[in-house]
Amino acid sequence: MADTHSFEEMIDDHRIAQTLMVMNQRAGAFVDLGVIDQLGNHLAYIGPYDLKGKNYYGQAWFVEVMSKGVYISDVYMGFRQLPHFIIAVSRQENQRRWILRATIDPDIFAGIVQAAQIGRTGDSFIINESGILQTRSRFTGDILSNSNIKVSSFGKGTSITEEGNGQHRQILYAGCWLKNKNWLLVISRDVRQEMRSLFATRNVEVGIILAGILAIVLTVLFTTRLTVRQLMENDRKMDELNAQLVQSDKLAALGKMAAGVAHEINNPLAVIIQKTGWMEDLLAEEEFKNSPNYEEFKTSIKKIEDHVERARKVVHNMLGYARRMEPRLEDVDINQTINQTIDILENYARINNIDIQADLAENLPVIAADQAQLQQVFLNLISNAIDAIGKEGIIEVKSRRIDTRIWITVKDDGPGISDDQQKMVFDPFFTTKGSGKGTGLGLWISYNIIEKMGGTMTCKSQQGKGSMFTIVIPIVTPDKK
Amino acid sequence: MHYFNVLVVDDEEDFLDTLMNRLKKRNINTTGCRSGEEAVELLQNKFFDVVILDIKMPGGMDGIETLREIKKIQPEAEVLLLTGHASVETSIEGMKLGAFDYLLKPIKLEDLLEKLAQALEKKDTAEHKRQSEQIRKLLKYW
Ligand SMILES: Nc1ncnc2c1ncn2[C@@H]1O[C@H](COP(=O)(O)OP(=O)(O)OP(=O)(O)O)[C@@H](O)[C@H]1O
Ligand SMILES: [Mg+2]
Ligand SMILES: [Mg+2]
């Protein structure tokens, strides 16, 4: 304006009013316009205040505009008691220097700035170098108050800083220094509030990730537990297998020993029997028959023979299974063998109120085996069950075919066997039956018979509930004749 | 007196003596010896109808070796094996070599006599049949 209009034109009140109108048409923020001569005299003025005739000579802004040619003030209250700022430009015209000075209402000007206030927490305002607000702000403070923004934290061009404002708000400031004036246009937003939806998305993402992690952790836990359980199961099976191996090792060693011991015992027994026999032969002669102690001798000899017989039975039983090393293979119908065995024991069982129930599979094939030996095994198991029950109970004999094997179980509801004793039931001479009643060889012999057939024999028992002996034998099909 | 001869071979002196005494007491012609070598020598000089032979004799010939020799010298002699333990394989081997049967010690005299009777029966001659009968009678009476 100062460039396009001459001093003469501008000091004309009419012209100056026209100029202000033109200026306001373009920008619309000018409150007044005045012309000041080089001595500081307000020569012309158009605006709401009567400033004409005032002298500004010596004032800081006057000095600056005179020397630098342009001056833009910070917003101040001035004597109008309204925030405003002035722009003044000086112009050299011929020998004269004059000043065109305009006052700008920062509110109007702020409207432009405030257009940048976006969102619910967005703010935009201008501050000067000391951080004093030059426009009204939404949240940061009123015009001319201190924004408390560290102006130094903004760089030369456009820069962004983040500032924690207490615990609940975190504000992001973007600042840009304006041209020609050391004012900073600041746009701010509360990150937390504004990004809530973003946070919400983030929360969903975090949720998904957490859920994923949780799923992974759970899967890992689950699979490890499964693996651990499987390992434990394997361990248990291994232990069982080991126990079985130890058992069969032990029994094999015991078997060898028993055979050796048997020989050492049988020879002296053979002598004793011959000696007592000889004594009986002699006692039968006349002169002894008249002896007063004849009967004494006779019964004593008889007793000796009885006990030798007892010892002989033990040893022979012990070797019984070995008597026929190679089992005689014949066609054996397992179910029929079981039924025959039950027949033998049924009467005895019935007297004691014991019910022997047979649950036999129909699809059992005829196998090649030693029938007498198998019968001996069943006889042992069932008579053990009868002995265990004593009076009143149920014995269940089952046969099943599973793949290439036949399973036979003998189950009773007797007193069961303690864990300690379970380890010993297959040992030779282990018996809980009174002397003369049990030799403790039944299970040992049975075990050996089944083992020689390539099968297994196991015992499961719970004290107070009963016992179950399980035989598993491979199906050996007889040769076709 | 029965007209058949029995040889008992056992290393256990008490057993041998007593068994011989008891057989003799039942009028059975009994000879005894305590080793396989002695048995072979005896068999070369005298006929025996039945040999009662212990399988396990420590030192020298054992029962099986002796059995082989017996079958060479007097194939018609019946051999009864005595075994003190379950060396059943040995007994079965003995059976294959021609032994009549085997008995597990300790043996009762009745069982031994029964086997003796069976062995004689097997000989299938009129004379032996008669002798077998006699032993059976002996058993019944006893
Ligand atoms: N069904 C069962 N219930 C409870 N205990 C049992 C059972 N079967 C066996 N036993 C126990 O195992 C022990 C050994 O049994 P085993 O058949 O080997 O010998 P036994 O029966 O005592 O004597 P034997 O069989 O020579 O007459 C028995 O004495 C008994 O204590
Ligand atoms: Mg038993
Ligand atoms: Mg001997």
Side-chain angles (χ1 to χ4, degrees), chain A residues 384-385 388 412 416-417 425 430-433 438-443 467 469:
Chain A
N384 276 351
D412 66 68
I417 308 163
V425 284
F430 172 76
T431 180
T432 53
K433 295 165 191 173
T439 60
L441 290 170
L443 284 178
S467 315
F469 286 81

Side-chain angles (χ1 to χ4, degrees), chain A residues 76-90:
Chain A
Y76 65 103
M77 287 308 233
F79 43 83
R80 305 169 199 183
Q81 295 306 310
L82 273 172
H84 65 283
F85 71 97
I86 56 165
I87 300 174
V89 288
S90 65

Side-chain angles (χ1 to χ4, degrees), chain A residues 345-358:
Chain A
L345 294 167
E346 196 139 51
N347 261 331
Y348 179 60
R350 202 179 298 127
I351 295 167
N352 293 306
N353 269 333
I354 295 167
D355 189 13
I356 305 178
Q357 300 173 348

Side-chain angles (χ1 to χ4, degrees), chain A residues 317 379-389 410-418 421-422 424-434 436-446 459-461 466-469:
Chain A
N317 272 340
L379 210 61
N380 270 321
L381 292 183
I382 299 172
S383 53
N384 276 351
I386 293 175
D387 289 347
I389 292 171
V410 178
K411 194 173 146 192
D412 66 68
D413 56 358
I417 308 163
S418 72
Q421 294 193 344
Q422 273 181 49
M424 300 189 287
V425 284
F426 295 113
D427 291 1
F429 302 115
F430 172 76
T431 180
T432 53
K433 295 165 191 173
K437 278 188 181 160
T439 60
L441 290 170
L443 284 178
W444 183 60
I445 291 167
S446 304
C459 162
K460 260 207 181 111
S461 181
S467 315
M468 181 164 92
F469 286 81

Side-chain angles (χ1 to χ4, degrees), chain A residues 36 136 189 191 260 386 399:
Chain A
I36 297 142
R136 202 180 298 147
R189 299 192 76 176
V191 181
I386 293 175
S399 69

Side-chain angles (χ1 to χ4, degrees), chain B residues 7-11 16 31-36 39 51-55 57 66 70 82:
Chain B
L7 174 64
V8 184
V9 190
D10 198 305
D11 61 311
L16 181 68
T31 314
C33 68
R34 289 183 54 203
S35 73
V51 181
I52 297 167
L53 177 63
D54 185 22
I55 286 184
M57 293 180 292
T66 313
I70 293 170
L82 293 184

